[in-house]
Amino acid sequence: MSSLQPPAPATRDDGAGSSEFLARSVGVSLLAALAGLMFGLDTGVIAGALTFIGDEFHASAQMQEWIVSSMMAAAAVGSIIAGNLSFRFGRRKALMGAAILFLLGSITCALAPSVVVLVIGRIFLGLAVGIAAFTAPLYISEVAMESARGSLISCYQLMMTLGIFLAYVVDSFLSYGGHWRWMLGLMTLPAVVFCIGCLFLPDSPRWLMMRGDTRHARLVMRYLRSSPQEADREIDDIASELKKEHTNVWTFFRTNPNFRRSVGLGMLLQVMQQLTGINVLMYYAPKVFQAAHFGVAASTWSTAIIGLVNMAATGLAIMFIDRWGRRPLLLLSCGVMKLSMAVAGGLVAMGASPLPQENGMVAALLLFVAGFAMGAGPLVWTLCSEIQPLRGRDFGIACSTFTNWAANWLISNTFLSVLEGLGEARTFWLFALMNAIFIVITLGFVPETKGVSLEAIEDHLMQGRRLRDLGR
């Protein structure tokens, strides 16, 4: 348990008391979601800095791919070690470790005298991102109440989009002087804020229960819930799940086909998210716009607008995720992305005059980003944190997070080469095809988990229900 113990829980159960406990739950979740802000900042900032870094260090296209993708490769490694860190030391301490790595990486990148040192700094950032991307949604899912769990987990994605937008805005202002070191160095400020925020987080009650610390788990749960009865009931449900089976996680994975199904679905969802094409746009947006005949300044500001739409659409998703549900939003998301990628490819293939092509391309890509942000962006992280059984949750989420970063690395490390080989139009059409396939996958396998407790989802999984029926 953190040395910062929450105060003894109140016993009020009126409207004012419920509002107070809701504010606590939201506040704790938002502090953890600052990991998403750092993720977004370090993801978005490289898009505007890359051209100037390439000019200063005379970096080839392949070297620029490595500057971008080194963070993804390190994030994959970070996601693997995050499971062990989170299980052994707790979610809060894992987030603190990520915050320190964010700070070290930002300073290293800003002061880098060569591409090699810059890549080392990006590796620090990647380790931080991998740990944070694993731990933050997991932590939020374990402290949030059922009625707001989807929205609160999605706050991680909202913070990520806010970080991307802020990074794009900073890049846009600093691009006139080519100040790429300032672009990267300003990331140290939010890293310090994140470090301080981690000091105020309580440990996850579910993690404390797995460690056998029932007293502290109950104390934290009463701090976060609107009544002692509700908190005690949730603690009792967790205790019941933990008593069912105590096996090594590898043994659990090898011997339990239902657990393998949930791990497989989590990995599939992360591959889906990456193959939508979103990170191609996030990492290489200025280059994509330049390929559509935009100038350097126009490309940078168009990228900033993309960041704004990304953030706004994610905010809308948070409003509706616990009203409409996961499946409808995910289906709508994939449909919008398929349409926008097909249109973008058609515009490039038509070779229209520059002004109509520019306007049409911006509209298509903004629609694509809105489609991603309203569903595939926040919902994949939400679902991956909901569908894993408690005793295998660290392992299952580690597998899905590693898959996310492995696919992310592969795409970011090959995109410029694919763009040169296939051409702009065929590349956009390839992503349109991927999103069409994802509609079919969502219909066949993705469950509706709105308003269902984590313990109920686990019960349904272990009963052998179809994956798409886990929430029923």
Side-chain angles (χ1 to χ4, degrees):
M1 178 91 181
S2 166
S3 60
L4 296 172
Q5 300 281 356
T11 57
R12 293 180 62 189
D13 197 25
D14 57 13
S18 298
S19 298
E20 178 185 351
F21 286 103
L22 177 60
R24 289 178 186 174
S25 182
V26 171
V28 168
S29 298
L30 289 178
L31 280 177
L34 287 176
L37 179 70
M38 293 305 307
F39 181 173
L41 287 168
D42 289 306
T43 296
V45 73
I46 197 64
L50 190 60
T51 298
F52 305 111
I53 292 171
D55 292 342
E56 179 163 335
F57 294 123
H58 307 290
S60 64
Q62 186 177 17
M63 182 58 70
Q64 291 182 48
E65 285 179 338
W66 273 103
I67 292 171
V68 173
S69 64
S70 58
M71 191 176 90
M72 279 72 259
V77 175
S79 68
I80 294 175
I81 65 175
N84 187 46
L85 290 175
S86 178
F87 180 76
R88 290 185 61 189
F89 302 107
R91 288 51 163 135
R92 183 184 66 86
K93 290 181 180 177
L95 287 172
M96 175 61 78
I100 294 171
L101 284 170
F102 275 126
L103 184 59
L104 289 175
S106 298
I107 294 172
T108 302
C109 288
L111 301 178
S114 65
V115 171
V116 172
V117 176
L118 180 60
V119 169
I120 291 173
R122 294 279 293 171
I123 289 173
F124 284 147
L125 293 174
L127 291 171
V129 165
I131 295 170
F134 168 92
T135 309
L138 170 62
Y139 177 83
I140 297 170
S141 73
E142 292 183 342
V143 301
M145 58 192 70
E146 295 169 16
S147 61
R149 189 178 64 234
S151 297
L152 291 177
I153 297 174
S154 296
C155 284
Y156 171 81
Q157 181 73 18
L158 179 62
M159 285 289 191
M160 189 192 309
T161 61
L162 173 61
I164 291 172
F165 170 64
L166 292 176
Y168 286 167
V169 171
V170 169
D171 285 355
S172 298
F173 281 109
L174 295 177
S175 64
Y176 294 105
H179 302 301
W180 66 269
R181 292 186 186 276
W182 280 102
M183 295 178 188
L184 303 181
L186 286 174
M187 301 303 104
T188 58
L189 298 178
V192 170
V193 174
F194 184 35
C195 282
I196 295 172
C198 288
L199 295 174
F200 294 91
L201 293 176
D203 277 313
S204 158
R206 285 175 169 82
W207 177 78
L208 290 168
M209 289 290 290
M210 288 191 290
R211 309 300 289 181
D213 196 347
T214 304
R215 184 178 68 85
H216 283 163
R218 195 178 300 276
L219 179 62
V220 174
M221 193 67 84
R222 288 189 176 190
Y223 176 68
L224 296 172
R225 295 297 180 262
S226 60
S227 70
Q229 294 78 18
E230 179 184 353
D232 291 345
R233 183 169 56 252
E234 198 163 340
I235 289 292
D236 291 342
D237 288 343
I238 296 170
S240 296
E241 291 297 331
L242 289 173
K243 288 178 181 177
K244 287 183 179 178
E245 186 177 355
H246 289 280
T247 57
N248 177 275
V249 68
W250 283 104
T251 302
F252 185 35
F253 181 74
R254 289 196 309 270
T255 60
N256 193 303
N258 292 317
F259 181 37
R260 291 198 297 272
R261 289 191 305 138
S262 67
V263 172
L265 178 58
M267 296 171 70
L268 178 62
L269 287 169
Q270 294 289 4
V271 171
M272 280 176 54
Q273 187 191 70
Q274 292 306 306
L275 291 180
T276 59
I278 185 62
N279 280 326
V280 164
L281 195 59
M282 294 296 105
Y283 299 143
Y284 297 110
K287 291 185 178 295
V288 170
F289 281 117
Q290 287 172 27
H293 312 296
F294 281 52
V296 174
S299 299
T300 306
W301 280 107
S302 296
T303 303
I305 295 173
I306 282 180
L308 178 61
V309 170
N310 190 21
M311 181 178 65
T314 302
L316 288 175
I318 290 175
M319 293 173 58
F320 293 108
I321 188 172
D322 286 312
R323 299 182 188 179
W324 292 0
R326 282 60 159 159
R327 278 171 59 93
L329 280 175
L330 192 55
L331 289 169
L332 177 62
S333 172
C334 291
V336 170
M337 289 188 290
K338 179 190 72 172
L339 175 63
S340 57
M341 286 289 97
V343 171
L347 287 170
V348 174
M350 288 169 56
S353 57
L355 184 58
Q357 184 179 358
E358 288 180 7
N359 293 336
M361 182 64 71
V362 170
L365 295 183
L366 290 179
L367 181 64
F368 170 79
V369 170
F372 176 84
M374 73 173 64
L379 289 175
V380 165
W381 295 106
T382 299
L383 287 163
C384 284
S385 65
E386 291 178 329
I387 61 176
Q388 305 300 340
L390 179 58
R391 55 191 178 276
R393 186 165 295 152
D394 294 83
F395 176 83
I397 296 178
C399 289
S400 60
T401 307
F402 171 80
T403 302
N404 176 284
W405 290 111
N408 195 331
W409 175 83
L410 180 63
I411 293 171
S412 63
N413 200 41
T414 59
F415 171 68
L416 294 181
S417 300
V418 171
L419 191 64
E420 291 179 3
L422 290 181
E424 293 88 350
R426 290 189 181 90
T427 301
F428 286 128
W429 287 334
L430 177 61
F431 286 125
L433 175 62
M434 291 295 101
N435 283 290
I437 293 172
F438 299 151
I439 292 175
V440 178
I441 292 174
T442 300
L443 289 171
F445 298 101
V446 176
E448 179 54 70
T449 57
K450 179 186 71 172
V452 185
S453 71
L454 297 179
E455 288 69 38
I457 294 171
E458 179 172 349
D459 276 342
H460 298 163
L461 174 68
M462 294 307 162
Q463 290 168 10
R465 295 192 188 183
R466 292 183 301 179
L467 289 171
R468 69 182 182 187
D469 294 334
L470 293 183
R472 296 181 181 177

